[in-house]
Amino acid sequence: MEKFAELSLDLAQKCVKCGLCKSVCPTYSYREEEGAFARGRLALAQMVVEGELPLTKEVARQWDECAMCRRCEWICPNDVQYKEVLVHARDLQRQSLGQGMVKWAGLKSLEVLQSKAGRSLVKLVGKVAELLPAQEIKTPFPTGAVKFMPKPNAKAFGLRGKVFKADREKGRLLFFTGCMIDAFYGKTGESVIKLMNKAGYTVVVPQDIKCCGAPHYYSGNLPAFEKLKEHNLKEMAKYDYDAIVVACPTCGGALKEDYRIDKEVYDFTQVIFKNPLKFKGEGERITFHVPCHSYTAMKINEKVFYDVLSSVENTELKKAQKDKSCCGFAGLFSITNPKMSDEIQKEKVQDLKETQAQLVLTTCPGCVLNLKDGVKKHKTGQDVMHLADYLAQRLIDD
């Protein structure tokens, strides 16, 4: 309790109650109550720590309904570190009220996924799933959520422990693949390597990195996060590299903010931005969804993405009105808060539909999953791709 008060009460008091966070919070428009956006959630944390309010299930509900997109931090004029306050509030919640079966199972599955047995099982399920014609499988969850989930990859974890050399090496990048690329979107991992090699960088993929731990940290399970972090730091220390590259901004944010690594952490688009490549499209209209954690956790200027997209010849780029709004995924949030997640997703998909783009691009595997799910449910007729896959397919070899 003392640790919680020391770490977060001080941060919570930086909030001047201006309410600007209300204008960008994806959950407020659904609930329209004080506890449904950052100002109210911070106030609840402060009241609990000061002993003015008991930590009840109702308080925990309002904390649990936060998507942790961190758009409130992005717009906050007083630099309130909302993430740190809520993480420690949820840690207190975990210790006092427990974590809940669904959240516990979801976080545990990420740990099991990266075990030796888990990796073998994913490959086996992937081989069986190859027999199914659909790319996504309609999957019900015990919370009432129903999502079109990607099939496991029969070649899951196939990049692990390999070095992919560039012809003219400028440097060496350690590729922190992340759970979703490892298990579901292996092709995206290959695309990142292809692009980095073309940009002049040798890519090193560690043999035994596990989940980055961001889902555990955001959920307030600090012991599990520290264990994963310790393992990953030891594994990464075995390799020689100049910087880290990611294709998932949530992983990238954890590495930058919470691992405190002495190496730079780049999104793959930042590498291309600094080392321009040539791309040629097929006359398609494209639009881009800016993942929340790319600009809130990794602090990437959206100009990086749009400059890279604008460099693709023979395409029409149409910027969505709400290109930086949350897609509603937020990992476990979409499973534990299905109705709220679906409303946020619906608004996002409608905004993307209005661009009349054939292709929706983004740089987050989680957003790819949720947007694919959304365009199927709302029948927009659009395709969704990770930007790495799109660029790798349109790369001009010269």
Side-chain angles (χ1 to χ4, degrees):
M1 188 74 166
E2 291 180 1
K3 182 182 180 184
F4 173 78
E6 180 184 349
L7 278 171
S8 63
L9 183 57
D10 185 50
L11 299 174
Q13 289 172 337
K14 288 183 68 178
C15 175
V16 295
K17 312 296 189 291
C18 70
L20 193 59
C21 49
K22 184 190 297 185
S23 67
V24 297
C25 179
T27 60
Y28 176 72
S29 61
Y30 183 82
R31 284 285 186 199
E32 292 192 342
E33 58 186 43
E34 185 67 15
F37 71 106
R39 182 178 70 186
R41 290 169 179 142
L42 288 171
L44 286 172
Q46 185 172 341
M47 292 168 71
V48 168
V49 170
E50 292 180 335
E52 297 178 21
L53 185 73
L55 178 48
T56 63
K57 290 184 178 180
E58 176 59 19
V59 171
R61 175 189 68 78
Q62 296 184 74
W63 287 343
D64 282 339
E65 287 182 350
C66 174
M68 290 297 275
C69 63
R70 300 173 58 189
R71 285 166 54 78
C72 51
E73 293 181 20
W74 164 63
I75 204 169
C76 180
N78 212 35
D79 193 31
V80 174
Q81 296 177 46
Y82 175 78
K83 166 194 160 188
E84 294 307 317
V85 177
L86 204 64
V87 161
H88 288 89
R90 286 176 168 179
D91 181 41
L92 182 66
Q93 173 189 332
R94 176 185 62 82
Q95 295 179 58
S96 303
L97 302 176
Q99 196 160 45
M101 182 57 68
V102 174
K103 189 181 288 187
W104 177 87
L107 296 176
K108 201 66 182 176
S109 68
L110 293 174
E111 297 171 43
V112 173
L113 176 76
Q114 295 284 5
S115 67
K116 186 175 180 180
R119 292 172 187 173
S120 298
L121 181 60
V122 170
K123 291 178 186 178
L124 178 61
V125 174
K127 288 177 181 177
V128 175
E130 278 187 326
L131 302 174
L132 301 174
Q135 290 302 306
E136 288 82 33
I137 303 171
K138 192 173 184 179
T139 308
F141 292 87
T143 57
V146 178
K147 301 196 81 64
F148 285 95
M149 297 292 290
K151 295 189 297 187
N153 188 352
K155 298 179 180 178
F157 308 97
L159 303 175
R160 291 300 191 86
K162 296 178 182 177
V163 176
F164 302 86
K165 293 187 177 181
D167 291 337
R168 299 177 183 177
E169 186 179 297
K170 297 178 182 177
R172 293 169 66 88
L173 298 173
L174 183 142
F175 183 18
F176 196 103
T177 46
C179 297
M180 293 195 69
I181 287 177
D182 279 337
F184 301 108
Y185 298 126
K187 201 76 172 176
T188 301
E190 294 173 10
S191 295
V192 171
I193 292 167
K194 179 180 178 180
L195 293 167
M196 296 301 94
N197 282 171
K198 186 67 175 179
Y201 293 91
T202 289
V203 178
V204 179
V205 184
Q207 177 67 46
D208 192 32
I209 51 171
K210 298 188 182 297
C211 175
C212 68
H216 304 74
Y217 192 80
Y218 282 128
S219 296
N221 194 332
L222 300 186
F225 168 74
E226 290 297 335
K227 186 176 179 180
L228 290 166
K229 172 184 169 183
E230 182 181 4
H231 172 91
N232 289 335
L233 287 173
K234 286 181 179 178
E235 175 65 16
M236 293 160 70
K238 297 175 183 177
Y239 302 89
D240 176 33
Y241 60 97
D242 303 308
I244 300 167
V245 67
V246 298
C248 171
T250 302
C251 290
L255 294 169
K256 282 176 72 77
E257 295 180 326
D258 307 311
Y259 277 50
R260 295 181 174 84
I261 298 171
D262 60 359
K263 304 275 190 180
E264 291 291 338
V265 181
Y266 297 111
D267 184 274
F268 74 97
T269 52
Q270 291 177 292
V271 178
I272 298 171
F273 179 75
K274 293 181 179 180
N275 304 269
L277 301 174
K278 294 181 180 180
F279 306 98
K280 187 172 183 178
E282 299 170 354
E284 66 273 18
R285 174 181 280 196
I286 59 176
T287 192
F288 186 71
H289 161 64
V290 186
C292 298
H293 286 170
S294 65
Y295 60 92
T296 62
M298 290 195 73
K299 306 293 189 295
I300 302 172
N301 190 317
E302 65 185 283
K303 173 180 166 55
V304 171
F305 304 120
Y306 282 108
D307 274 15
V308 170
L309 286 165
S310 297
S311 72
V312 183
E313 298 177 13
N314 194 31
T315 58
E316 181 185 357
L317 174 60
K318 177 69 174 178
K319 188 174 181 179
Q321 288 291 319
K322 300 175 182 177
D323 63 328
K324 293 173 79 172
S325 67
C326 180
C327 76
F329 181 60
L332 284 172
F333 171 82
S334 65
I335 306 302
T336 57
N337 299 282
K339 292 181 179 179
M340 191 179 293
S341 174
D342 286 349
E343 287 297 317
I344 299 168
Q345 180 196 65
K346 182 179 178 181
E347 182 180 356
K348 163 59 71 172
V349 169
Q350 182 59 41
D351 183 53
L352 295 170
K353 180 182 178 181
E354 290 174 3
T355 66
Q356 297 184 335
Q358 288 93 30
L359 276 173
V360 176
L361 305 172
T362 188
T363 52
C364 172
C367 294
V368 169
L369 185 157
N370 206 50
L371 293 175
K372 278 181 175 285
D373 175 68
V375 299
K376 277 183 177 291
K377 286 177 178 174
H378 299 286
K379 298 179 171 61
T380 69
Q382 294 170 305
D383 288 329
V384 180
M385 291 181 71
H386 195 289
L387 181 57
D389 294 318
Y390 176 79
L391 294 176
Q393 289 177 15
R394 287 152 180 80
L395 183 62
I396 297 175
D397 291 318
D398 55 5

